[in-house]
Amino acid sequence: MTFNMTIGKKLTLNFLAMLGLIFAFSLVALNLVKNLGGALDVAVNSTAKKMDLVGAVRADFQEMTAYTKSTHLHYVITVLEHGHKNETLGVSCGSCHDSSRLVASQKGFEAAAGKLREQLGKLRLLMTTDDERRNADAVEAAAGAWSNYYQDY
């Protein structure tokens, strides 16, 4: 069986085939761009926010560490100095490390712990996997235990 096609019919058929391929490739490209836009949206609106909040949680932990060290230093100075004043100057190291600084450290620690809980709450809203939730639970439990130990200290 042979097809008798004129050159005009062959050109028309090839033109329509090319037009169909261009249309199909355009749909595929449009779909890829749409998916890329969705992935970029997730990266900007979810992943970047998560990274920012994790950085804030880390900063809160560092702030809590600083207040803990300040409280510990106050305690050590108080214990070491008990009854040992510098007779020549008539002052003690405790004159700089008085109880008002201890109270300020305690309030600062509580504020940092509150900010930490707030940041973890915001972070939980962005979590999508069970691993992320388990890790957040572990961090929150550790921060709670640390706060309890700090109060006992």
Side-chain angles (χ1 to χ4, degrees):
M1 175 184 300
T2 61
F3 292 105
N4 292 333
M5 296 177 71
T6 64
I7 191 78
K9 287 182 183 180
K10 288 180 183 179
L11 284 173
T12 304
L13 196 60
N14 282 330
F15 177 76
L16 291 175
M18 291 293 281
L19 193 62
L21 286 174
I22 289 172
F23 181 72
F25 285 139
S26 297
L27 287 178
V28 168
L30 186 62
N31 192 30
L32 287 174
V33 169
K34 181 181 171 185
N35 289 341
L36 180 62
L40 185 58
D41 184 53
V42 167
V44 169
N45 292 326
S46 180
T47 306
K49 286 182 183 178
K50 284 180 188 178
M51 290 173 59
D52 186 45
L53 287 170
V54 167
V57 166
R58 181 183 174 121
D60 291 337
F61 268 118
Q62 290 173 345
E63 192 175 349
M64 290 169 64
T65 300
Y67 285 120
T68 301
K69 288 178 180 178
S70 173
T71 302
H72 185 70
L73 181 62
H74 180 272
Y75 175 75
V76 168
I77 288 172
T78 302
V79 168
L80 291 176
E81 188 186 59
H82 189 68
H84 301 292
K85 290 187 178 178
N86 186 339
E87 299 296 329
T88 58
L89 296 176
V91 296
S92 66
C93 191
S95 62
C96 293
H97 300 278
D98 58 0
S99 62
S100 66
R101 290 188 185 226
L102 178 62
V103 171
S105 289
Q106 290 170 339
K107 287 182 180 179
F109 182 89
E110 291 169 5
K115 284 189 332 189
L116 176 85
R117 284 189 293 274
E118 178 184 335
Q119 299 295 346
L120 282 173
K122 290 178 183 177
L123 190 59
R124 281 187 185 281
L125 296 175
L126 299 173
M127 293 182 181
T128 56
T129 65
D130 289 336
D131 284 339
E132 290 175 336
R133 289 182 190 95
R134 272 194 301 274
N135 290 336
D137 289 341
V139 169
E140 195 167 15
W146 188 4
S147 291
N148 291 337
Y149 293 141
Y150 185 85
Q151 297 302 323
D152 291 342
Y153 186 65

